[in-house]
Every structure is written in structure tokens, then in C-alpha cells.
Amino acid sequence: MKERLKWAGPALLIAALAVAAYCLLAYESEYLWKVQELNLHLHTPLFLKQQMVTSGWLLTWLGTWFTEFFYHPWLGVTLLCLLWALLMAVLWRTFRVPLKWAVVLLVPVAALLVSDVDLGYWIYYLKLRGHFFAGTIGTTIAVASVWLYRLLPAKLYMRPLYMVLSTAVLYPLIGFYGLLATLLMAVLTWRLKDMTLTGRVVATAVGLLCIVFWPLYYYNYVFCQTGIQNIWWTGLPLFVIDKEYHAYYIPYYIIAVSLVAMAALYKHDREKAVSRPVVWAICQVALLAVLVYGVSRYWYRDYNFHKELRMVRCMESHDWEGILSEAAYNEDEPTRAIVMMKNLALFRLGRQGDEMYRYKTGAKDCSTPIHVSMTQVVGRSIYYNYGLLNYCHRWCLEDGVEYGWRAEYLKYLALCSLLNGEESEARKYFGLLRHTRYHGEWAERYERFLGHRDQLLADKEFEQIAHLMNGADLLGSDNTLVEKFLMTLFVNTSSDDKLYQEQSLLSALWMKDIQMFWPRFFQYAQSHVGQRMPTHFQEAAYLYGQLEHQVDISHMPFDKEVVQSYNDFMAFAQQCQGMSEAQMREVFYPRFGNTFYYEYFLVRGQKLY
């Protein structure tokens, strides 16, 4: 019975991987899909050469290759879990971890899982390509190198010589993880029985010298694109924007410490039966509980972040009704990105003037310690769909230079070039996307419009964008405030295009500026003679007419519901005198939250980003 208990550990490892896979697929499918959209691996020799300009290049090349498979989240998760299984097998063989204590092998895997799922909005800012797989691949190669070190004979100083060779080869390939492998060899040296004291001292000294020497050598003579302060950390993500966010390095500290502990506790003895099953079981359960708590505690779970991802996925597939389905149900105050995507969907469906205020609005800050700009989250998509192609193009280029080229950037660059009639540039971007695993079909779908601009402008996907391109698209500065910039531009631009006039009037409602509203209102009314005026436009006109009496609204054909809603709002306001604005927002929302009256009087001070 005792002999059989040791096999409970491996069974537990398999179960843990199955649970991790289930959680990733159940809760993070849209997140994983977005990660691969923000990834780029070109199947060309040039792409490989471009990775080889800095140490750790093998991690970025393999990492971006594996990340492609998140296009089908189930496939990417399967590969990730298989790599974790391989890592645990290599750890077990290298450090001879007893099977009865196999749960210890979950420690570095749990840390690697956290390093992937604790990012949140960092996925838009991380510069390390292939991050999701880089840590797992680097750790596995490093430990496999230590395994080979342990198998070498101690005579003729073969192990110190191997240290020199291993560091020289692994550092340019896997960066930091190559140095970690050398450190593990130096620690393991003191646990190997076939080495003398002199041999151990020599091996340790050689290992430490290699950790210092080889990064400096490659920095001075091979890789010149890495700052000297970072040469020992290449292959690790840098969590730096305005400052360095040290908390995100904790999983990597845990990985390093756990591996050093395994090396320091290495024993050559064979497996022994479990002598105290109860104590063994308690220790296993306690360690597992700590790991489960740690993973769940640092797993990034933000309602708005995941809703944004689902809405972005709908937007990329032109599923406007899907966006509205997401916007219709909110457990939390939405971010401005959520509100903007909802408004875009309503505009594309021709319903914004009637339904814009039927959805919950807000301006909640992104739940992250870093400053998030909307240009990173949805800015490119918003600019593109509102016809400001130069701004979409500009942010794709700037972010490509700053954060590295990504499939999403190339797609929008291709679409902007296609709509602008720059067909040679579009062919270039389509050609690049053809060298990816999954985006070639996307490129083929749009390449059919090359040389057929009439078909392009008549296509349902591009028709509305083409209408909005009739306005000014002169490149200037938006100060990263996408929403304010767009609304200000539309409200200050006059156009004969009916769809553009509608967006200008909607922007006037957003501005809540009476003087800006009337010119856009009358322009819209004159071009839509005989058509029903959308509800929110009527509400704004009736409200402004009652407030300032600068425009005679007595002959305007307002819907009875609009007039009645205004009268009810004002009567209820009289009953609520003495309440604070916050209290009024709460009591007014059930009856009037779907009106412009509520928006005008009670929605103030929304934060833009």
C-alpha cells in the first residue's frame, strides 16, 4: 500500500494540468485569442535573422511560433500544457525528485501559469515577443542542460569545461535562462557524490565567472542592441513604462528559487516507500493548497477587461449585434472603451440616435497599476471604423516601432492602404500576412479588392467607412484621447454626406454644447426631410429649446413620448430638490436613464484616456 502511494503524485500532476487547461479555456479564450493577434511570427528566413540580433533570440522565435496556435485557443492551451508536462518530466529526471513528492514539480509550473495570466492590460505594452511560451521553453532547456551536466563524469574537469561551453552556447539562445542553468550547475556541484572538494570549488568558481564573463563578451562583440544594465536579464519581460513594476517579477523569482532549492536538495538515493502516509498526505495537501491559493490570488480577473476583449473580438468579425449583446449586460460600471464600442455598433446598425442611452454608461478606470491609453486598447479599431485612416495608420506604425510588429498592426495597415487606394503598400502587408500560419486566409479575403475599387466601396463592410472618409483626415495630434478627439473633429466638420452629418450630430450630443448642436441639427434635418427624427435628437432639441429659447421649437413635430418624458423628468426633479447629484443619479436612472435629459443633467466629469 505504501509503495503505491508514491504514484499519487504523478496522478496529481496530470489532474493539475487538466484543471489548468480547463480554466484557461473556460475563462481566458478571448484573452488567448487577443494574445495571438498581438503576436507575429513570419515563416521566413529574414524573420529568423531579425530575432538573432539580441541574446535570447531562440525564445522569441519559438515563443512567437507557439503563440500562433492560440488562434484556436484549445490547440494553444494543449501545446502549453504538453510543454509543462515535458518540463516536469525533465525536472524529475534532472533533480531526481522522488515520485512521492512529485507535487513539488508543480511549483515552477504554477509560477509560469501566473506569469501568463496575471498580465491584464500589460499584453498591450509588453515588448518581449512570444512571452506566453518563452518562460516555459527557457526553463525546460536550462534544466535539460543541467541534466546533461549531472550525467558527465567528474574526471578531467569535464564538468567545468561543460559549464564554459554550455553558457557560451545557451546565453545567446535563451539569455537569462542560460545563466540560470549555469547557476544551477554550480549549486548541484555540491550535492554530487563523485566530486572532490577541489573539483567542487573549481566548478563553482568557473560557473560564477561564466555568469559574469559571457554576457559582457556578447554585449561587446556580438549583440549591441541591449543596454548593459539588461544583459543578464535578456529573455525576461521588462515591466517598465513610466517606472518599473517589480511585483510582476515575483513569478520569475519563484521559478529561480524553486529550481535552486531542487538543486540544493538533490539526492542520489533511489526512491523509498512512503513511511508516514498521514504526514506525507498532509504535506502534499498543504503545498497544493498554497499553490492553488497563489494562482487564484494572482490570476487577473477584471470584469471590464474581459468584456472589452469579447467586444473587440466581435468588432474584428463585424458582429455588431454581438457587441450590443455584451453591452446590454453589465455587472460593473463600464470603461469608456466599452461605451465607444457600443456606440460604434449602434452607429453601424443605424440605431444610435434612438438607442444610445438605453445601455449603461460610465467611465471606470482600468483595473491595473499602469496608465492605460485607449489608443492601445481599441484606438486603432475605432479610428479605422470612423474613417480616420491616417490616425489608424499612424498608431500602427508608432506602436510597431515601440512594441514590435504584430499581426493586428499589419492587418490595419493593409486595410488603411487598401481604402486609401495605396495598392502597392496593401500588397506588401498582405504578402507579409501570407507568411503567417493563420492570417493568410484573411489576406486572401481582402486581396480580391485590389484593382476593384468600385467593388470595395460597395461592399457592406467598407460602405459606411467610405462615407466617413469624406471628412477631413489631416494628421495632427490626438494626445491619445481618442474619444474627445473624434467627437471634436466630427462636430466641427461640415459635410454633405448624410451619414457623416449623423455622426456630427451625435458628436454634438456628446459635447453637450448648445451652440454647436443647432447648426448640426438643422443640417441633418434639411437632408432628411420626410424622415422621422431619431428620439435622442428630438430630446436634445426639445431640451435646448426649453432651456435657452434661442430657437423657436413650437412648430417642430416632436413625438409625444419625447415631450411627456421631458415633463415627467422636470416634475420629478422638483420632487427631488435637496438631494445630492449622486443621489439623484440613483433615483432618476430607473425611469430616465435611457434619455438625453438624464445624460445632460446627471452625467458629468467622465474621465477620458
Side-chain angles (χ1 to χ4, degrees), residues 498 501 519-530 533:
K498 292 183 178 181
Q501 291 173 6
R520 298 291 165 251
F521 178 80
F522 287 123
Q523 185 184 36
Y524 179 88
Q526 290 168 5
S527 63
H528 292 76
V529 175
M533 182 69 70

Side-chain angles (χ1 to χ4, degrees), residues 15-313:
L17 289 178
V19 170
Y22 171 79
C23 291
L24 284 170
L25 290 174
Y27 303 114
E28 303 294 352
S29 286
E30 303 299 337
Y31 173 64
L32 298 176
W33 181 85
K34 186 64 176 180
V35 165
Q36 67 81 29
E37 284 291 298
L38 297 174
N39 175 71
L40 183 67
H41 183 96
L42 299 178
H43 301 173
T44 64
L46 178 60
F47 180 79
L48 175 60
K49 291 178 182 178
Q50 289 174 333
Q51 309 311 304
M52 297 174 69
V53 298
T54 184
S55 58
W57 64 265
L58 184 63
L59 297 182
T60 61
W61 189 79
L62 287 176
T64 54
W65 186 82
F66 276 106
T67 302
E68 285 187 298
F69 292 100
F70 281 138
Y71 187 85
H72 302 294
W74 67 268
L75 181 56
V77 168
T78 299
L79 291 173
L80 187 59
C81 289
L82 288 175
L83 286 174
W84 285 338
L86 175 62
L87 170 60
M88 288 189 290
V90 174
L91 284 168
W92 171 65
R93 294 295 297 177
T94 301
F95 300 116
R96 302 181 67 89
V97 178
L99 285 177
K100 61 185 178 182
W101 292 108
V103 70
V104 173
L105 302 176
L106 282 175
V107 175
V109 172
L112 288 166
L113 173 60
V114 169
S115 74
D116 286 341
V117 298
D118 73 336
L119 297 175
Y121 288 94
W122 273 107
I123 62 173
Y124 300 108
Y125 294 93
L126 272 188
K127 297 182 179 180
L128 177 66
R129 293 181 286 266
H131 163 80
F132 253 69
F133 287 88
T136 299
I137 295 170
T139 305
T140 304
I141 295 175
V143 175
S145 176
V146 178
W147 181 11
L148 182 57
Y149 172 82
R150 181 176 66 80
L151 296 178
L152 289 173
K155 59 184 178 180
L156 302 176
Y157 291 100
M158 291 186 65
R159 284 173 177 160
L161 291 173
Y162 174 79
M163 276 186 174
V164 175
L165 181 62
S166 171
T167 313
V169 172
L170 290 184
Y171 175 74
L173 295 178
I174 59 176
F176 162 81
Y177 297 95
L179 304 180
L180 177 61
T182 305
L183 176 63
L184 294 175
M185 295 175 199
V187 173
L188 186 63
T189 294
W190 295 88
R191 304 293 296 175
L192 298 175
K193 291 185 176 181
D194 58 349
M195 293 190 70
T196 64
L197 177 60
T198 301
R200 289 171 177 167
V201 171
V202 170
T204 303
V206 169
L208 295 178
L209 286 173
C210 285
I211 291 173
V212 174
F213 170 77
W214 283 117
L216 289 172
Y217 171 82
Y218 281 106
Y219 169 75
N220 285 288
Y221 298 104
V222 182
F223 304 121
C224 304
Q225 296 191 16
T226 304
I228 191 169
Q229 71 276 13
N230 295 320
I231 60 175
W232 285 278
W233 316 110
T234 55
L236 292 178
L238 294 178
F239 295 101
V240 179
I241 301 181
D242 54 333
K243 62 178 182 179
E244 192 163 18
Y245 295 83
H246 296 281
Y248 289 92
Y249 294 108
I250 291 176
Y252 300 95
Y253 299 151
I254 293 174
I255 293 170
V257 170
S258 64
L259 295 182
V260 169
M262 290 182 194
L265 297 175
Y266 169 84
K267 286 186 177 181
H268 189 73
D269 300 336
R270 293 183 177 182
E271 291 272 359
K272 294 182 180 179
V274 177
S275 58
R276 292 179 166 182
V278 175
V279 175
W280 169 83
I282 292 174
C283 292
Q284 296 268 24
V285 171
L287 179 57
L288 187 62
V290 171
L291 293 177
V292 170
Y293 172 78
V295 172
S296 61
R297 170 69 176 78
Y298 292 100
W299 192 306
Y300 185 79
R301 294 187 295 273
D302 176 60
Y303 180 81
N304 280 333
F305 174 71
H306 288 84
K307 182 170 285 290
E308 286 174 2
L309 291 175
R310 291 192 295 272
M311 294 176 79
V312 167
R313 181 81 180 269

Side-chain angles (χ1 to χ4, degrees), residues 321-347:
E321 290 290 356
I323 291 178
L324 297 182
S325 297
E326 289 291 339
Y329 180 72
N330 276 290
E331 296 178 359
D332 198 359
E333 177 188 352
T335 62
R336 292 311 297 173
I338 291 174
V339 175
M340 285 204 74
M341 285 188 280
K342 175 264 296 181
N343 287 340
L344 173 62
L346 287 171
F347 179 70

